Amino acid sequence: MNSRPAAYAVAERAARESYGKLLAYLAARSGNIDAAQDALADAFTSALERWPLDGVPRTPDAWLLVSARHRLFDRHRRDVRAERLHGALAAAARDAQRDFERAGEIGDERLAFMFACTAAAIAPEMRAPLMLQLVLGLDAARIASAFLIAPAAMSQRLVRAKRKIAAAGTPLPRVSPDDLSARIDAVLAAVYAAFSAGWSDPAGVDPRVSGLAVEALWLGRLVADIVPDDPETLGLLALMLHADARRAARRDSTGAYVPLAEQNTRLWNAAQIDEAESLLRRAARARRPGRFQLEAAIQSAYAEYRFGREPAWNAIVALYDGLLRIAGSPVVALNRAVAVGRLRGAPAGLLALDDVAVRSDLRDYQPYWAARADLLAATGARAEAYRAFERAAGLSVDPAVRGYLLGCARRLGTAQPSAPSSASEGKSPG
Amino acid sequence: MEFLLQLYADQTRWSTLPPDQAHAEMGAYAAYTQALHDAGVFVAGERLAPPSSAASVRVSADGKASVVDGPYPETKEQLGGYYVIDVADHDAAVSWAARCPGASHGTVEVRPIMAVPTAA
């Protein structure tokens, strides 16, 4: 019955695929990202209008290219200045056409483009937004909302970042195979930032809110297609698939938030979890562990709930220890403290948590207060736990999470503290 | 930098809310307000009486005053409350606005307050 939305999804996927490829190609050769974006904008918009109705053309790249070239040459005739500006771009478009006629496809330079987006000159927090715009063609307003930034500010920052790519010189970086794994880490970090946008932020809400999980998974698959043997790339994809697999179980039928330990695991996407597990096994064969493989392994341990079993907390703590050594962050340390609480009891967890709080400013970090509240409740410190739940609720962006935390506080006020739940789920891909 | 967060929502909604939901919502605002205090960014904040209690006043160029009942302009979403917060920048103000319960059932408009140079 939903043939329209399904057709739209297929068309959108194809259009973004071609858009990213063409933009990377044209920008790399013309050295002008803005002009290339400009030339492709209308073509991309009309593709999103027409393809869902007419079907995806047999050669989407060619469709977009022809449509973009029309626009490009229209402009030339009108505007001499634009001609100079677009001259290199027009030449690039002719190259692309030739490429296409010869090989039936346009060279895929998206990875080089992704490297450009994650170059050292680009501020780390702008890498994911830039990639979403340049590789997938998302508009600034949508990116801004996902990252909880005012659209005008986001547009401005995107423009500045693009200028930096241009200033770094073209063609885009050619990366030698030796250099690949170092460079790819920055790309993977940006993809993960897109996945957890507005989610791993201080509010700690889940990917339903970020709304970019699908796009990030797509970027992850794209990188995995280009470098199928890179273990960290496979690890990131496994991590995102695990977290995304639980999406439907994070809300009950009334829309209320359900923490990980209480989720109906039959709502988990089994196919995605199986895929994640097999990716993780493939990654392990390379014997090059890394941050994303460890994080995926932790998610894999949580997946034990599927079989009605408590996760192996000792293994999870060990994995967090490993993670702390290679990619330590307050978030990792916080997650580790929660796992310590489950393994050695709430007082041990609280001690570990205090240790994190001493070293980092977590005052406005929602998951910190949610985790603290859980641990305090488990030790019977009801008044303190109540305050911490309230504090976490006050820092929540997601109304379902806020409601859940307030409910926890309320229950403390009227009844015995219940068993600790993972209200802190939001801070990790729970 | 000070920002005004204006909370716009359908003001008839509140009166139709079941008591337990209304109670939960007050709890949500209390928690949010407390979080603003704890973060050290709270400057001011109040809930406003219903728009029906408003009067709108205008004085024309020739000095003629007009007073009408109700808010200006009459729209579905009305100003129902406000916060003034003091944060580092616009991004921080937006992220605090997103945490406001009012953003989940209405709109929170974020506006920088113009700094007036203080007289010596």
Side-chain angles (χ1 to χ4, degrees):
Chain A
M1 52 170 247
N2 276 335
S3 67
R4 266 297 286 279
Y8 187 84
V10 171
E12 190 189 7
R13 194 184 164 90
R16 292 201 189 285
E17 179 92 17
S18 285
Y19 174 89
K21 247 197 259 176
L22 270 173
L23 186 67
Y25 188 101
L26 297 177
R29 279 165 181 71
S30 70
N32 192 332
I33 301 170
D34 279 337
Q37 261 191 306
D38 232 29
L40 277 171
D42 285 355
F44 184 55
T45 307
S46 52
L48 284 180
E49 276 164 17
R50 302 252 316 261
W51 296 4
L53 302 170
D54 304 349
V56 176
R58 211 159 39 81
T59 51
D61 294 354
W63 193 101
L64 271 183
L65 182 63
V66 168
S67 172
R69 279 191 67 176
H70 281 314
R71 181 183 150 113
L72 213 54
F73 295 129
D74 267 1
R75 268 210 166 181
H76 281 195
R77 280 194 290 271
R78 281 203 310 264
D79 186 344
V80 180
R81 204 186 124 265
E83 183 167 8
R84 266 206 308 278
L85 190 73
H86 285 68
L89 189 61
R94 273 192 298 274
D95 281 356
Q97 186 90 42
R98 220 181 10 251
D99 242 24
F100 187 82
E101 276 154 15
R102 209 175 292 149
E105 59 181 299
I106 288 157
D108 190 350
E109 322 216 343
R110 282 176 294 181
L111 189 62
F113 214 32
M114 287 164 127
F115 286 141
C117 290
T118 53
I122 311 291
E125 72 277 7
M126 280 311 294
R127 293 174 186 175
L130 200 53
M131 210 184 267
L132 287 163
Q133 176 155 85
L134 296 182
V135 181
L136 295 183
L138 294 194
D139 58 59
R142 169 126 188 260
I143 298 169
S145 290
F147 287 86
L148 278 184
I149 302 280
M154 181 56 89
S155 302
Q156 223 174 56
R157 287 171 210 177
L158 282 168
V159 168
R160 275 202 297 265
K162 276 183 273 179
R163 248 181 244 143
K164 279 190 189 151
I165 295 186
T170 46
L172 298 171
R174 300 273 154 208
V175 175
S176 70
D178 293 343
D179 209 15
L180 187 75
S181 72
R183 293 295 298 271
I184 208 124
D185 282 349
V187 171
L188 299 179
V191 172
Y192 189 53
F195 184 75
S196 47
W199 174 33
S200 65
D201 79 333
V205 290
D206 75 36
R208 268 168 84 114
V209 176
S210 102
L212 291 179
V214 173
E215 282 75 10
L217 269 166
W218 185 0
L219 285 173
R221 286 191 190 282
L222 173 62
V223 182
D225 278 347
I226 303 174
V227 286
D229 298 320
D230 180 65
E232 276 295 272
T233 300
L234 301 176
L236 172 62
L237 194 50
L239 166 62
M240 295 193 295
L241 284 168
H242 262 305
D244 192 62
R246 302 200 278 265
R247 182 192 295 250
R250 288 194 179 98
R251 296 287 188 279
D252 69 11
S253 55
T254 69
Y257 171 78
V258 184
L260 178 60
E262 290 160 34
Q263 284 171 12
N264 176 359
T265 57
R266 272 173 311 191
L267 295 175
W268 289 3
N269 185 329
Q272 262 182 242
I273 295 176
D274 290 343
E275 190 190 353
E277 295 289 89
S278 100
L279 285 167
L280 202 49
R281 278 194 297 274
R282 239 174 80 201
R285 272 184 234 133
R287 301 197 177 284
R288 259 177 35 224
R291 173 202 166 181
F292 288 118
Q293 291 171 77
L294 286 172
E295 292 208 39
I298 291 165
Q299 295 307 317
S300 165
Y302 285 133
E304 281 298 289
Y305 281 122
R306 255 198 315 176
F307 309 110
R309 284 196 294 264
E310 188 76 3
W313 294 107
N314 53 348
I316 292 177
V317 171
L319 288 165
Y320 275 124
D321 285 338
L323 199 51
L324 265 185
R325 274 194 297 275
I326 59 167
S329 73
V331 177
V332 171
L334 168 58
N335 289 337
R336 181 186 168 276
V338 172
V340 166
R342 300 304 291 262
L343 179 66
R344 299 192 201 117
L350 270 178
L351 274 179
L353 198 60
D354 285 341
D355 193 44
V356 186
V358 167
R359 279 178 290 137
S360 339
D361 180 12
L362 299 170
R363 206 174 43 165
D364 299 336
Y365 193 56
Q366 187 261 17
Y368 167 75
W369 290 104
R372 186 163 190 87
D374 255 349
L375 290 165
L376 285 167
T379 62
R382 297 166 61 118
E384 271 185 275
Y386 184 95
R387 282 274 300 139
F389 273 126
E390 215 189 14
R391 184 96 177 247
L395 293 168
S396 295
V397 168
D398 187 328
V401 172
R402 183 190 301 129
Y404 170 80
L405 293 165
L406 286 171
C408 292
R410 227 176 13 252
R411 276 193 299 280
L412 276 179
T414 56
Q416 285 299 312
S418 57
S421 53
S422 351
S424 48
E425 186 202 6
K427 87 233 163 237
S428 70
Chain B
M1 231 181 136
E2 288 194 345
F3 290 84
L4 175 66
L5 310 186
Q6 297 178 84
L7 282 56
Y8 287 95
D10 178 359
Q11 300 298 321
T12 57
R13 178 183 160 275
W14 188 260
S15 55
T16 57
L17 227 47
D20 59 327
Q21 241 176 293
H23 186 76
E25 207 154 281
M26 305 235 300
Y29 275 103
Y32 176 66
T33 308
Q34 190 57 46
L36 289 173
H37 278 288
D38 289 338
V41 301
F42 182 92
V43 176
E46 297 292 351
R47 187 177 156 196
L48 302 179
S52 59
S53 63
S56 298
V57 182
R58 283 204 247 193
V59 179
S60 67
D62 59 7
K64 220 165 96 187
S66 94
V67 182
V68 295
D69 286 327
Y72 174 88
E74 192 84 55
T75 51
K76 196 164 161 54
E77 288 204 337
Q78 297 285 354
L79 188 65
Y82 71 91
Y83 287 96
V84 176
I85 60 174
D86 189 358
V87 293
D89 54 32
H90 201 278
D91 288 357
V94 169
S95 76
W96 277 109
R99 292 162 167 170
C100 178
S104 317
H105 56 76
T107 307
V108 177
E109 186 182 320
V110 180
R111 282 266 203 113
I113 293 176
M114 294 245 280
V116 179
T118 47

